[in-house]
Amino acid sequence: MTKDVIALTPRMPDLRTLLAGFYAGGPGVGVGAAAGGAVVQLCASDGRPLVSVEAPVLVQVPGETVRLLGEHGQEEPVWWTEARASTAVEEAGRLAGSFAGRLATVLGGTVWPPHAATTEVVPLTTDVAAVPVPPTAHPAVDVLTDGAVVVIQDRPLVPMTSWLSDALRLAADTGRALQIVTPPTARLTLPTRTALRGLPNRWVVKDPDCGYYDGLSGAVLHWQGGVFTPVRDAQGNGTLADAHGRTRPTRQRQLLLTLRTRHAPTPGLTLGDALETVFRHLTGEPPAGWSTAEPVNLPWSTRQLTDLARSRAPRPTWLVAVGRADRPALATLRVTRTPGGVEEDMSVAVGYGADEEPPLDAVEPLAAELGAEHALVNLLTTVRAARRDLTVPARCEASPHPVSLTVGHDEARRIGIDGASAGSSGAPSAVRLGRPTEAALHYRLGDGTQSDAWARLRALVAQWGPEGKSGVPTAP
């Protein structure tokens, strides 16, 4: 039984409807609150949480529920009410399904997954006194140790929900690793994949044949010292899981852009303009929506996201943006205040089918506009063979191949390059974009199919010296 149950309703669940849902456990179940009242919990008689329910979210972005729930998504706008059941008590999953089923019945909505929906009363028969109390007040966390925040996700597609965002913050604030455990059939959304980038965070896949392995690297894992860590032989070498190496050739592709902008912290600064420019060049339209988690629920607004980032400063702000329903496009945006100014770090992915060509001819005009109008620091463009829907499976995928690298005028001056020396040691020559005195330097590396383009990129960055390597990835 899944632990996550979602009610999709055309009307907002009001207090009366929520109370009807809370009676799913009968008189033996109480009600509590967490996260400053943002989460309501169905609790056992001793107060331990059985089901945690987030405040309903109005999803206004077309196609968003279908992106995350497939054929079970609904036409937007729709209210998304998510319940997460404890893994420690057997009845909790059925209790979450009954809560969601009651909301859907009263408000005329649907439940995901459909088989979880019920309106029956679920009495608590487990002796909860024999169940250890979890040492955390975070509803998303299933296991908390000194080294890891472990979240179990039994769903086909794992988005970066507010639950996971909460777990990620907990891990970062306490110096722990976020480790998400899923079955081998699960996939990650790109924002979730981005959040797990870099150790000690891991995607842990529980496979019936080989035990546990890392869904991104394929390393066989085991539970040791309160954390999932690679299994190593006497020589310290790891082992790759056979299941992860079962690649499936595909003609679908993804166009990937990683870019940074840096602005002076002026009162009139508007954030998100560079990201909107990227979407317009590559998809023909601005992003359809944005949010601080998935589902992406708010219509696109640079003013609103600027207000949010300003209200959180000097703390960083992390956002997700999504494109229109017929053109898979996703982006993450991190806004950070640094000694150099206000920086926007963006990762953008656009998906293309087997009969579609990524618009590589749009990259150079895009780079020129970013350099001239949006304080570009650098832009790396790559292409890889991967799913058009931008989801990440738990198996080996093709590495991306570089297409181009662009360095903004101010950044080129900071690291002491003018393009004149480029072309030596196998490095490509620079194309100047923009006004001669303030030109960005654009380096063409390949057509997205050439693996040796990485060598050209490394040769280019190496001739700039140590300072020039900052912020420019040189390996897939």
Side-chain angles (χ1 to χ4, degrees), residues 74-128:
Q74 297 292 306
E75 184 177 351
E76 289 80 10
V78 65
W79 288 92
W80 175 298
T81 306
E82 186 158 347
R84 179 168 172 80
S86 167
T87 56
V89 179
E90 181 179 355
E91 296 87 354
R94 291 189 292 121
L95 186 59
S98 181
F99 168 82
R102 288 164 177 250
L103 262 61
T105 299
V106 173
L107 300 175
T110 61
V111 172
W112 179 91
H115 68 263
T118 179
T119 57
E120 66 182 7
V121 174
V122 182
L124 185 62
T125 59
T126 297
D127 180 11
V128 295

Side-chain angles (χ1 to χ4, degrees), residues 49-431:
L50 304 173
V51 177
S52 300
V53 181
E54 278 198 311
V57 173
L58 178 60
V59 180
Q60 306 173 67
V61 179
E64 183 64 358
T65 61
V66 171
R67 180 177 75 86
L68 297 179
L69 304 179
E71 63 182 5
H72 303 296
Q74 297 292 306
E75 184 177 351
E76 289 80 10
V78 65
W79 288 92
W80 175 298
T81 306
E82 186 158 347
R84 179 168 172 80
S86 167
T87 56
V89 179
E90 181 179 355
E91 296 87 354
R94 291 189 292 121
L95 186 59
S98 181
F99 168 82
R102 288 164 177 250
L103 262 61
T105 299
V106 173
L107 300 175
T110 61
V111 172
W112 179 91
H115 68 263
T118 179
T119 57
E120 66 182 7
V121 174
V122 182
L124 185 62
T125 59
T126 297
D127 180 11
V128 295
V131 179
V133 178
T136 174
H138 294 263
V141 178
D142 293 288
V143 179
L144 183 67
T145 70
D146 291 341
V149 175
V150 180
V151 179
I152 300 172
Q153 290 281 273
D154 186 11
R155 54 200 293 175
L157 182 62
V158 182
M160 180 47 62
T161 62
S162 55
W163 302 110
L164 281 183
S165 293
D166 177 67
L168 182 61
R169 281 192 297 271
L170 173 63
D173 292 345
T174 59
R176 294 178 168 95
L178 173 63
Q179 301 192 325
I180 301 176
V181 182
T182 76
T185 54
R187 291 170 287 122
L188 307 183
T189 66
L190 204 61
T192 306
R193 165 66 180 90
T194 302
L196 292 178
R197 180 177 296 156
L199 299 176
N201 297 338
R202 287 191 187 275
W203 176 14
V204 181
V205 177
K206 184 179 181 181
D207 188 274
D209 297 325
C210 64
Y212 296 97
Y213 68 90
D214 190 302
L216 300 177
S217 70
V220 175
L221 306 173
H222 63 165
W223 182 255
Q224 185 179 50
V227 66
F228 284 101
T229 187
V231 176
R232 301 191 183 278
D233 59 21
Q235 288 72 42
N237 299 317
T239 304
L240 295 180
D242 291 339
H244 188 264
R246 299 168 191 159
T247 58
R248 298 179 184 177
T250 179
R251 293 176 58 204
Q252 301 178 42
R253 283 171 292 177
Q254 297 175 1
L255 179 61
L256 308 173
L257 292 86
T258 303
L259 64 148
R260 173 178 294 176
T261 62
R262 184 182 296 125
H263 313 271
T266 60
L269 174 63
T270 299
L271 300 171
D273 284 342
L275 185 57
E276 180 172 322
T277 297
V278 173
F279 270 71
R280 288 188 183 277
H281 275 262
L282 300 181
T283 71
E285 297 181 7
W290 73 285
S291 184
T292 57
E294 294 177 288
V296 175
N297 64 309
L298 299 171
W300 178 251
S301 170
T302 56
R303 179 185 59 81
Q304 290 181 353
L305 71 85
T306 300
D307 290 344
L308 176 66
R310 183 171 287 119
S311 70
R312 292 183 171 185
R315 294 172 298 161
T317 297
W318 185 87
L319 307 170
V320 183
V322 65
R324 64 179 191 261
D326 63 335
R327 167 54 65 203
L330 273 171
T332 60
L333 167 64
R334 181 178 175 84
V335 180
T336 311
R337 181 68 183 269
T338 70
V342 179
E343 294 190 355
E344 298 175 284
D345 287 288
M346 291 158 268
S347 295
V348 183
V350 187
Y352 300 91
D355 57 346
E356 299 175 307
E357 287 294 328
L360 299 186
D361 56 350
V363 174
E364 193 165 314
L366 167 61
E369 183 171 345
L370 291 172
E373 305 293 339
H374 300 290
L376 177 69
V377 175
N378 53 54
L379 163 65
L380 176 65
T381 303
T382 62
V383 172
R384 70 169 179 166
R387 296 175 61 108
R388 181 182 187 271
D389 64 9
L390 306 179
T391 63
V392 182
R395 61 175 181 268
C396 183
E397 289 193 299
S399 298
H401 298 309
V403 172
S404 64
L405 172 68
T406 308
V407 181
H409 170 260
D410 289 343
E411 182 69 2
R413 183 173 54 188
R414 183 186 73 82
I415 59 181
I417 60 173
D418 60 8
S421 60
S424 61
S425 304
S429 300
V431 176

